[in-house]
Amino acid sequence: MTPDRPVILAAADPSGEDALACLDRYFRELMQLFAEGFNPGDQAYAGAGKASPPHLACVLARAGDDLAGCGFLQWQEGDEAAEIKRMWVAPAFRGRGISRAILAHLEAEAVARGFATVRLDTNRALRAAQALFLRSGYQEIPRYNDNPYADHWYANRLR
């Protein structure tokens, strides 16, 4: 990896090789972080089994040929809010504002698709993610899904 290279964000095919490679790295990290472990299971790929394009959008962060991070936006017809899924930044690229840029990209994608609200869930072990969401205007909300790994649920009204 070359963390000193500029990082570029771009929309990507959510089922493409690079998106799946990024998810695999993310899942391996979760397996180490979560006290209860992590099993990606059938729903792991950003809900790809139940939402596929045009109901799933992806952004990849790259530094040259290196994958620096990813994030996904998912929605169903008739949803009132889009859902941010599987945001991740590679360890070598953390601390450079990439997660905030990915979040902003996904929020802009939600607005472009007509959503005024986004929501997400996260695990208690992901403290940096929780801090990012709170700094970015997200408010903790009641549970809205049955994700067995989620401990916190957030929503944000977009401008």
Side-chain angles (χ1 to χ4, degrees):
M1 283 195 189
T2 53
D4 54 329
R5 288 181 136 173
V7 174
I8 307 294
L9 270 62
D13 176 356
S15 60
E17 184 178 320
D18 287 342
L20 296 177
C22 200
L23 285 172
D24 284 339
R25 292 174 61 199
Y26 172 56
F27 296 151
R28 283 195 304 269
E29 186 171 340
L30 294 183
M31 288 174 198
Q32 301 299 314
L33 286 174
F34 289 2
E36 64 275 14
F38 180 76
N39 178 1
D42 293 337
Q43 57 82 39
Y45 292 92
K50 63 180 180 176
S52 57
H55 303 303
L56 186 63
C58 172
V59 61
L60 292 178
R62 296 178 185 281
D65 292 333
D66 294 327
L67 286 172
C70 60
F72 295 80
L73 185 74
Q74 134 180 331
W75 64 96
Q76 298 290 328
E77 293 300 323
D79 281 354
E80 293 181 19
E83 186 174 16
I84 292 174
K85 303 290 288 179
R86 312 298 187 209
M87 275 187 54
W88 176 77
V89 174
F93 293 95
R94 292 180 185 162
R96 296 179 51 188
I98 297 168
S99 60
R100 179 64 197 121
I102 290 172
L103 184 61
H105 184 99
L106 295 171
E107 290 170 340
E109 180 75 24
V111 168
R113 294 187 179 277
F115 291 99
T117 302
V118 291
R119 61 188 180 186
L120 54 87
D121 63 45
T122 193
N123 185 278
R124 68 185 165 273
L126 303 176
R127 289 184 184 88
Q130 293 170 51
L132 168 69
F133 302 139
L134 292 171
R135 280 192 317 269
S136 300
Y138 285 73
Q139 301 292 317
E140 197 149 3
I141 61 171
R143 173 188 286 266
Y144 67 86
N145 63 22
D146 61 355
N147 179 351
Y149 299 104
D151 299 301
H152 299 277
W153 294 263
Y154 296 95
N156 192 11
R157 288 256 327 136
L158 304 173
R159 293 180 195 25

